[in-house]
Amino acid sequence: MDLPQLLLVGLVLLLGIFGVLVPGVPGTWLVWAGLMWWALHERSSVAWALLVAATALLLVVQVVKFELPPRRLRGVGVTRRMAVYAGVGAVAGFILLPVVGAVPGFVGGVYLCERLRLGTHGEAWASVRTVMRAVGTSVLVELFACLLVVGAWLGAVVASGP
């Protein structure tokens, strides 16, 4: 694989890492797709082994992400109504301030829902912090796995040399 293609693969992997941090962007799958693109062009045993290992790791992360946090989220009072408010807030934030606005929009939607439900700023903000901590755990697990995959890819590229 030549240098321009490696740079494009690296860009896709980098976008995937940033995608993990943005609600609604399939960051993990972008990382996996970039790695698969590299493995299909590289066609070496190292590339295939890395693709298989990354696939297994990222699938385990998806199971962890979808199985463990929901129990925790239900425990902190996340409802379907709050999810709708957060989703609408994220979409509105994304439209008003492309990409970067999704996160504050998400937080604003959760805050609005909790403010309407609880009535006071202090209680609503405390609830938002609790919800964000619960959501943050799953994001950190996914981010760590993606960084591990990208680090392994970078190590394989450097080790294979020019």
Side-chain angles (χ1 to χ4, degrees):
M1 183 174 260
D2 58 352
L3 185 61
Q5 284 182 322
L6 278 175
L7 290 174
L8 285 174
V9 170
L11 181 63
V12 169
L13 295 174
L14 188 63
L15 288 174
I17 288 173
F18 284 120
V20 169
L21 302 173
V22 177
V25 176
T28 303
W29 300 112
L30 281 172
V31 168
W32 182 81
L35 191 65
M36 185 178 71
W37 177 20
W38 172 73
L40 287 172
H41 287 281
E42 191 66 25
R43 294 185 188 148
S44 69
S45 59
V46 172
W48 291 115
L50 185 56
L51 180 63
V52 169
T55 300
L57 174 67
L58 295 176
L59 285 174
V60 167
V61 165
Q62 292 303 307
V63 169
V64 168
K65 189 177 114 180
F66 288 116
E67 290 300 320
L68 295 178
R71 289 187 211 134
R72 195 165 168 204
L73 289 177
R74 280 191 290 271
V76 297
V78 174
T79 62
R80 289 187 194 273
R81 179 179 172 205
M82 183 185 295
V84 169
Y85 273 78
V88 168
V91 169
F94 185 85
I95 291 169
L96 293 173
L97 188 60
V99 182
V100 189
V103 175
F106 179 86
V107 174
V110 172
Y111 175 79
L112 178 62
C113 180
E114 290 301 278
R115 180 69 189 249
L116 293 173
R117 184 175 72 90
L118 298 171
T120 66
H121 170 73
E123 290 177 333
W125 192 245
S127 180
V128 167
R129 283 193 311 263
T130 303
V131 168
M132 294 312 294
R133 278 189 211 111
V135 171
T137 303
S138 72
V139 170
L140 287 177
V141 166
E142 192 174 4
L143 181 62
F144 178 73
C146 287
L147 287 170
L148 191 64
V149 168
V150 171
W153 170 79
L154 193 58
V157 168
V158 169
S160 69

